Amino acid sequence: MKRPFLKFLIVAIAVLVLPFFSSSAISQEEPTSSIWSLWLGGHYTGYEDFYKKVGEFDRGEKEAMPEVSLSYSGYKEDQSWDFFGHYYDPKRISFDLSGKSKDVFSGKVSYLSSYRQRATDLLENLMAREAVNQENKPGGKMFTYEHENPDADFGYTRHEVKSDFQVKVPGSAKLKIKAFHRSILEKGDDQKVVSMHCSSCHMVSKSAKVDRRTHTVSAGAEATTGPVLFSYLGSYRTFKSEASTPVAFYDKAEHPTEKDSAKQEGYIKEFDARMVFNDEKVPFGQIPETEKMAHTLKVKTDMGKKGDILGSFTNSQAKNKSAGLKVQSNSGGLKYVVSPSQKTKIVALASLSRIESDEAQIDLPLWRDGLTGGGQDFDWIRYSNLTRTVAKGSAEFIYQPNRKYRVFLSTGYEGTERDDYPDIEAKGKTTKLKASVGGKYRPNSKFWGRIKYSFENIKDPAPYNQLFEASGDTLAKLWYFEREKLRYGDVTNQPTNQHGIDLTLNFRPDRRTSLSAGLRASLETNGDTDSLDFERTKLQPQVSATLAPTPEWNLFGSISYAYDKSNGLASVAMMDG
Amino acid sequence: MLKFPKHFTLKSPVGATLACILGLFFFLSAYVSGEFPLDAVQVGDELCSACHDQINQQFQKNIHARLAVGDENTCEACHGPGSKHAEEGDPALIYNAPKDYSATGKNMCITCHQGRAFNSWHGLTHFEAVEGCSDCHKIHSEEKHLLAKQEPQLCFDCHTLKKSQARMPSHHPVMEGLVSCSDCHSVHSGEVKYTVGDESRELCLSCHSSLSGPFIFEHEPVNEDCGICHDPHGTIADKLLIQNEPFLCLSCHPMHFHVTLVGYEGEFSAPMHPERTGVSTRDGMKQAMLTKCTQCHSEVHGSDLPSQSISGAGRALTR
C-alpha cells in the first residue's frame, strides 16, 4: 500500500472517535427489555497490482469509506424482535430483521448486497504461428486475439433477499405452516471470449451484460399426531437471464494462407464442408431459462425403546425451457436409529433414487458433403449420463461402555448405474464400498483424544467418459478420433482407493486454558489406468491454544501446516506431434 | 503406501515437535484426573443463584430463561436435581452436560429440540466427535443461537483445513462475511454429507442456477459432482479448481491436436486478415494450446448451442 499515512490516519480516527460515537443502552424494566448499539467506523481499501485476483470479493470502493452498523434487540414477555444492519460501502449493505410472538409466529427477512470483481483474461498467450517443417518458415496454423474492450473493468453486484415465516395454527398447537422465499439478483458486466474460426484461430474478447435472476419460493406444513411427525415442503425455483445473448461473427471458411483465387475456391469448399456454420453472425454464451419444482414428504416415528424411524420421499422436475429438456427425479430414504442398550446405538440408512434426463437429437450437416471421401452423417442422439439409479445403504455402530471410552464403526455401499446408453454393457456402473472405525478416549473432563480411520474402495469411478463416446459413436467415423477413443474412458482424476486418518487431542487443565493438537492425512490412488497411476496425498498437522484470563478476554493462537500433492496424468498429442 | 514428506520424519524439527506434543498429551491425560457426577432432589432456582450469581444474571437474557418465566426450577430442568451438589458444593454431584454427555445415552437438549433439523442428528460425525451440544453452544449466554463463538471461527476451531482453504487465493467469501458455513452445511440435520439436505450438486446449483441445465451438450463430470473439478472451500488455482488448467483438463482429456508444433520465431500477420498481427516464439503453439483450455472451450458447464466443427459433432462446448 503506497499511502501508509492515509491508512494510519483512517485507523487512528476510527480508534479515537469510536469511544465517543459508539453507544449502547440497556433499559430493563422486567419483563420488557431492549438492547441497542450503534457502531461508527471506517475502512480504507487500496490496491496495487493483481487487485482483480485478491480483491475478488473485497473490492468495494477505493480509498477511505465510513462504516456504520446498528443492532437492536428487544423482548416483552413472550415476544421478541431483533434488527441488525451494516453499511460497509454502497455496494455492500446488509440487514436482518426478525421477530417472534408467543412461540406461535416467527418471521425473518434479510438482505445482503456485495460486489464481485471478475478477472480479465488478457489472452496474451494466444499469439503464435507454426513453423513449417521445423524451419523458421511461417505456416498456416496460427493464433491471434483482440480485445474489444481492453480497459473494461468486469464485475457484478449481487443482491440477495431472503424471508422465512412460520406459524403454528391457532387452536392446533401441533400443526405448523412454513413459507420461505429467496431471490438472488446479479447485475453487471463480464468478459466473454469467442473464437472466430476458421481461416485462423482468432479469439475475440467481448463485454457481456450480466443480469441473472433466481427466485425460490417454498411452502409447507409440519404436523404431529401422537408419536408421528409429518412434514411436507413444496419448492419452486426459476432462473432467467434478462441480458441479451451476445453475438459473434464467425469468419468465412477458407484456407488461412492461400490467396490464389483458383485454389481459394477449392479451399473454401473443403473448409466450409467441415463446419456447422461460418461467414455469419451467431449467438454464443446463451444462458437457458430454467425452472425446478420439488415436493418433499418426511415422516418420523418415535417407537420408544424400539427406536426412531425416519422416512422421506422427494419428487422433482427440472426444465430447460429454452431447449425444451427436462429431468425428472424420484428418491426415497429410510433411517432407523435404535439404542439396544444404554451403551450402544445403531444407525441404519437406505435410500434409492431414480433420475431420468431427456435425450436430445442432434442434427448436423453431412461431413465434407459432395467431396471425395466425404458424406458421413454425424447426426447423433445425446444420451444423458444424468439418467441413473442410485442405491445407498449404510450402518453405523456406536459403543460407549462408560464415559471414558467411545468406539464407533461404520460401513456403507453406494451404487450408481447409468443406463441411458444402448450398448455399454456393465461399464456404466460405479460402486463404492466404505468403512470407517474410530474411538474417543476421555479419561477425565480435562483431556480427550479421538482417532478415526476411513477407507473407501471405488470401482469404475468415471465410466461416464466412455459413455460420452458411446453417445452417438461419432468417433468411429474419423481416424484420429479413433486413436483418442483408446484414451477416453480410461483416464480420470478420480481415485479407486481412499484412506483417511483423523487424530485430535485436547487438553483443558482449567476453565481458562485449553490446548489442542491434531493431524489429518489422506491418500487417494488409482492404479487401474493403462497409463500413469493417479495419486494424491494430503497432510495437515495443527496445534492451537486458548487462554481466557477473564470472561471479557479470550486469547487464542493456532498454527497449521497443509501439504497437498497430486500427480497429474498427461498424454502425448494425437496429431502433429 | 502413504508417503510422508521428508520434513515429517522424527529427526526433522517438525516431526520431533509433533512427537513431543503427542507424548505430552498422553502424559497429561494419565496424570490429571477428574470425577463424574451423581443425582439428587430438586432445590429451586433461588438456591442455585445464591452461589452462581454471575451465571444467573447472564442467564436472565437467555432464551431458555425467557421461556421459563414463572418456573422455579429452571436450572434443574437441565441440570437435574441439585440437593447433593448444594449440600456439599461438589461440582461432580450435579448433571453437567459437557462432562456427562454420552453418545449412546439420552441427550438432555434433544429432549426439547426435536424439530426437523434434529431428525438426523443421530449418526453424524459431529455426534461421534463432540461432547454434546455444549461443545458449540454456551447454554447460559445471550449470544445469537447461544453459540460459543460466531461463524466461521466456531467451525474453524475444529475444521482447520477449511480454515486454511478459506484464505487461499480462490475462495467463497467466508472470511469477507458474505457467506457463512451454515449457508451450505447443517450441523444438526446433515442429511447428505453434512450439507443442507440437498444432494451436493443441487446445493451448488441453488445459488449457481445459470449452470443447472439440463443442457443439450453436456459435460459429463458436471452431471456427476461439482467436486470433481472444484473444491468449494478454497484452492490455489483460479475459480475454486482443484488443479490449474490445463492439468485438470488433461487428467481426463488428451492434449489438443497441433499442440506440439514448433512455432515460427518473429512477427507475423494473418495473410487473409492482415490486421491480425502478433509475435510468435518457438514455443508459441504450446503456450497457445496448453495454457487455459477454457479460453476456447468457454461453456465447460454445458451449452444448448452446437460448436462449429462437424467432426466434433457440435459438442466442443465453445459457444
Side-chain angles (χ1 to χ4, degrees):
Chain A
M1 220 159 279
K2 285 184 177 175
R3 301 181 187 182
F5 176 72
L6 184 58
K7 184 182 173 188
F8 172 77
L9 194 65
I10 294 288
V11 173
I13 288 171
V15 170
L16 290 172
V17 168
L18 274 176
F20 298 100
F21 284 88
S22 298
S23 61
S24 66
I26 300 174
S27 68
Q28 195 164 335
E29 294 175 12
E30 290 297 345
T32 302
S33 174
S34 66
I35 304 168
W36 65 271
S37 69
L38 174 68
W39 181 88
L40 296 175
H43 65 270
Y44 171 81
T45 310
Y47 293 100
E48 299 301 324
D49 295 340
F50 308 116
Y51 71 90
K52 289 179 180 177
K53 181 77 174 176
V54 299
E56 184 177 1
F57 298 105
D58 214 9
R59 168 85 185 274
E61 294 293 315
K62 274 192 171 183
E63 312 300 336
M65 288 292 296
E67 230 181 300
V68 59
S69 73
L70 173 69
S71 73
Y72 175 84
S73 68
Y75 67 85
K76 182 180 180 182
E77 295 180 340
D78 47 10
Q79 295 179 355
S80 66
W81 48 93
D82 295 278
F83 173 83
F84 178 78
H86 184 207
Y87 173 89
Y88 183 82
D89 64 37
K91 293 174 181 169
R92 192 193 292 189
I93 300 167
S94 65
F95 76 79
D96 286 286
L97 179 65
S98 62
K100 195 177 237 184
S101 176
K102 295 181 180 177
D103 201 27
V104 170
F105 170 83
S106 69
K108 185 178 179 183
V109 178
S110 64
Y111 170 78
L112 171 67
S113 68
S114 59
Y115 183 75
R116 185 181 183 193
Q117 176 71 49
R118 298 292 283 156
T120 305
D121 190 339
L122 301 176
L123 306 178
E124 288 175 347
N125 62 306
L126 297 172
M127 194 162 57
R129 186 167 183 176
E130 75 163 316
V132 179
N133 297 328
Q134 302 198 10
E135 296 170 12
N136 203 29
K137 293 178 183 174
K141 296 170 183 109
M142 66 192 85
F143 287 91
T144 51
Y145 72 91
E146 68 180 90
H147 268 277
E148 287 189 358
N149 310 86
D151 301 322
D153 200 8
F154 300 112
Y156 58 80
T157 306
R158 184 179 190 273
H159 306 267
E160 182 174 1
V161 184
K162 288 194 283 192
S163 54
D164 177 347
F165 298 97
Q166 299 189 33
V167 184
K168 278 185 182 170
V169 174
S172 172
K174 294 179 177 177
L175 178 62
K176 195 187 280 183
I177 308 290
K178 300 176 174 189
F180 311 97
H181 159 262
R182 185 189 192 200
S183 286
I184 301 171
L185 310 175
E186 293 169 327
K187 289 195 81 165
D189 300 279
D190 207 352
Q191 182 183 27
K192 283 280 185 186
V193 179
V194 64
S195 56
M196 298 290 189
H197 274 290
C198 155
S199 67
S200 61
C201 281
H202 182 65
M203 302 300 296
V204 179
S205 167
K206 292 172 175 284
S207 174
K209 287 286 176 197
V210 172
D211 189 354
R212 298 188 286 251
R213 302 174 186 202
T214 306
H215 302 287
T216 308
V217 287
S218 308
E222 199 171 283
T224 310
T225 48
V228 185
L229 173 76
F230 294 96
S231 85
Y232 164 79
L233 190 70
S235 183
Y236 179 65
R237 184 181 79 209
T238 62
F239 170 81
K240 190 175 184 182
S241 171
E242 294 289 350
S244 57
T245 302
V247 173
F249 181 77
Y250 276 70
D251 288 343
K252 188 176 185 178
E254 58 189 349
H255 194 277
T257 59
E258 192 55 68
K259 289 183 175 179
D260 179 82
S261 59
K263 286 185 179 176
Q264 178 68 357
E265 186 60 30
Y267 284 127
I268 287 175
K269 281 183 185 171
E270 177 63 44
F271 279 73
D272 178 75
R274 298 177 183 208
M275 300 297 156
V276 179
F277 49 83
N278 70 89
D279 196 22
E280 61 187 305
K281 280 187 175 179
V282 292
F284 71 99
Q286 175 182 286
I287 307 173
E289 184 182 349
T290 59
E291 66 176 24
K292 183 179 179 184
M293 182 80 212
H295 306 274
T296 302
L297 188 66
K298 291 185 178 177
V299 183
K300 179 188 173 188
T301 309
D302 182 354
M303 300 189 298
K305 289 184 177 178
K306 290 180 179 176
D308 293 348
I309 289 183
L310 290 83
S312 68
F313 175 78
T314 301
N315 165 270
S316 72
Q317 187 177 77
K319 281 183 186 170
N320 175 339
K321 295 171 80 174
S322 306
L325 293 173
K326 67 176 186 302
V327 176
Q328 286 188 311
S329 167
N330 287 296
S331 64
L334 277 175
K335 176 184 270 190
Y336 179 55
V337 184
V338 64
S339 292
S341 72
Q342 277 288 316
K343 296 177 179 177
T344 55
K345 180 166 278 182
I346 296 170
V347 182
L349 282 146
S351 70
L352 183 69
S353 60
R354 172 72 183 164
I355 303 173
E356 292 186 351
S357 179
D358 280 355
E359 296 163 5
Q361 172 69 42
I362 313 296
D363 294 322
L364 298 164
L366 294 177
W367 163 255
R368 297 181 69 243
D369 188 23
L371 301 176
T372 307
Q376 290 93 338
D377 185 358
F378 276 73
D379 289 356
W380 56 294
I381 297 172
R382 190 276 281 142
Y383 301 107
S384 176
N385 85 320
L386 194 55
T387 296
R388 60 186 57 199
T389 303
V390 182
K392 294 179 188 175
S394 68
E396 185 171 10
F397 178 73
I398 301 173
Y399 175 58
Q400 186 163 346
N402 55 48
R403 285 171 180 143
K404 289 186 178 181
Y405 303 98
R406 188 186 305 167
V407 180
F408 38 88
L409 56 99
S410 70
T411 180
Y413 164 87
E414 184 179 328
T416 304
E417 193 164 2
R418 304 162 189 82
D419 57 359
D420 193 31
Y421 296 84
D423 53 359
I424 295 304
E425 300 171 359
K427 277 287 188 180
K429 188 169 184 180
T430 299
T431 308
K432 294 181 182 178
L433 296 172
K434 308 171 187 181
S436 68
V437 59
K440 190 164 184 178
Y441 175 57
R442 191 184 175 218
N444 49 64
S445 57
K446 297 176 176 13
F447 172 87
W448 65 262
R450 176 179 177 267
I451 188 164
K452 184 175 184 178
Y453 167 77
S454 57
F455 171 73
E456 193 169 328
N457 175 264
I458 306 119
K459 190 181 175 192
D460 289 327
Y464 45 86
N465 279 348
Q466 193 172 54
L467 299 176
F468 165 76
E469 296 314 323
S471 204
D473 197 25
T474 53
L475 296 188
K477 293 167 184 170
L478 288 177
W479 68 271
Y480 50 85
F481 281 172
E482 272 291 302
R483 295 169 73 179
E484 286 189 14
K485 194 176 180 179
L486 297 174
R487 176 174 158 79
Y488 273 110
D490 177 49
V491 178
T492 175
N493 65 349
Q494 296 300 288
T496 50
N497 284 304
Q498 278 182 311
H499 303 267
I501 292 173
D502 187 352
L503 171 69
T504 310
L505 302 164
N506 262 278
F507 178 54
R508 193 176 181 182
D510 55 54
R511 294 170 67 95
R512 295 172 179 174
T513 317
S514 72
L515 301 165
S516 166
L519 173 70
R520 285 193 175 133
S522 70
L523 174 69
E524 301 175 358
T525 59
N526 185 342
D528 291 351
T529 59
D530 289 339
S531 47
L532 294 169
D533 290 349
F534 165 78
E535 191 172 293
R536 186 173 193 189
T537 311
K538 286 184 190 176
L539 283 168
Q540 197 201 25
Q542 65 90 16
V543 182
S544 64
T546 303
L547 183 65
T550 68
E552 291 78 24
W553 281 91
N554 193 334
L555 309 171
F556 60 90
S558 68
I559 184 165
S560 63
Y561 173 88
Y563 174 89
D564 186 339
K565 182 184 177 185
S566 64
N567 62 336
L569 302 168
S571 76
V572 294
M574 305 307 296
M575 281 178 67
D576 303 325
Chain B
M1 284 294 292
L2 194 61
K3 291 177 184 171
F4 285 81
K6 287 178 184 173
H7 42 285
F8 271 81
T9 59
L10 280 178
K11 290 179 182 176
S12 71
V14 176
T17 307
L18 276 172
C20 289
I21 289 169
L22 274 171
L24 181 66
F25 268 104
F26 282 114
F27 169 74
L28 290 171
S29 72
Y31 179 75
V32 183
S33 64
E35 295 295 329
F36 290 106
L38 301 171
D39 53 8
V41 293
Q42 290 193 332
V43 292
D45 294 347
E46 203 172 320
L47 191 59
C48 302
S49 59
C51 294
H52 302 286
D53 186 45
Q54 193 178 356
I55 291 175
N56 183 52
Q57 281 188 18
Q58 185 188 26
F59 187 61
Q60 292 312 308
K61 298 180 188 105
N62 180 282
I63 182 70
H64 290 122
R66 283 151 56 184
L67 287 171
V69 173
D71 191 337
E72 293 176 353
N73 296 307
T74 315
C75 307
E76 289 165 308
C78 296
H79 288 284
S83 61
K84 286 189 178 176
H85 167 67
E87 285 166 14
E88 299 183 28
D90 186 349
L93 297 177
I94 194 162
Y95 181 81
N96 185 335
K99 286 195 297 183
D100 300 335
Y101 172 79
S102 164
T104 53
K106 192 172 184 179
N107 182 316
M108 188 62 78
C109 305
I110 290 182
T111 307
C112 296
H113 296 278
Q114 292 195 51
R116 191 169 66 88
F118 298 89
N119 280 353
S120 303
W121 171 244
H122 309 282
L124 272 176
T125 300
H126 276 166
F127 182 68
E128 302 164 350
V130 304
E131 289 306 313
C133 309
S134 55
D135 267 14
C136 298
H137 297 279
K138 272 189 169 177
I139 311 302
H140 302 115
S141 83
E142 55 187 287
E143 296 295 323
K144 190 179 176 186
H145 302 313
L146 310 184
L147 290 173
K149 291 178 189 173
Q150 294 302 315
E151 293 183 55
Q153 292 306 328
L154 177 68
C155 310
F156 285 163
D157 278 359
C158 293
H159 300 280
T160 49
L161 184 58
K162 310 305 175 200
K163 182 181 179 179
S164 309
Q165 288 182 282
R167 290 170 170 81
M168 286 181 176
S170 181
H171 56 267
H172 271 109
V174 173
M175 299 308 295
E176 289 85 346
L178 301 173
V179 173
S180 62
C181 306
S182 57
D183 283 343
C184 299
H185 298 278
S186 176
V187 294
H188 299 123
S189 60
E191 293 169 21
V192 181
K193 242 183 169 179
Y194 326 123
T195 60
V196 290
D198 244 338
E199 290 285 350
S200 57
R201 180 176 177 271
E202 284 300 310
L203 175 69
C204 304
L205 296 176
S206 65
C207 286
H208 302 280
S209 312
S210 61
L211 312 175
S212 65
F215 294 104
I216 292 176
F217 298 95
E218 297 178 335
H219 188 196
E220 280 67 12
V222 178
N223 280 344
E224 291 291 326
D225 182 359
C226 307
I228 290 175
C229 297
H230 300 280
D231 186 334
H233 296 104
T235 61
I236 302 294
D238 207 7
K239 296 179 179 175
L240 294 173
L241 292 173
I242 58 172
Q243 258 184 312
N244 263 316
E245 295 181 60
F247 307 107
L248 178 63
C249 310
L250 291 174
S251 57
C252 292
H253 296 275
M255 284 191 210
H256 212 286
F257 52 79
H258 299 336
V259 75
T260 52
L261 289 174
V262 174
Y264 168 77
E265 197 162 15
E267 294 182 0
F268 72 95
S269 65
M272 309 305 287
H273 299 274
E275 76 283 4
R276 299 174 186 174
T277 59
V279 180
S280 179
T281 64
R282 300 297 270 181
D283 293 326
M285 295 300 283
K286 295 178 185 67
Q287 286 171 7
M289 306 193 85
L290 273 182
T291 299
K292 194 177 170 190
C293 310
T294 53
Q295 284 174 322
C296 296
H297 301 278
S298 53
E299 304 308 312
V300 71
H301 293 102
S303 173
D304 292 338
L305 303 175
S307 299
Q308 196 184 21
S309 75
I310 299 172
S311 57
R315 60 187 172 193
L317 300 177
T318 58
R319 67 179 268 256

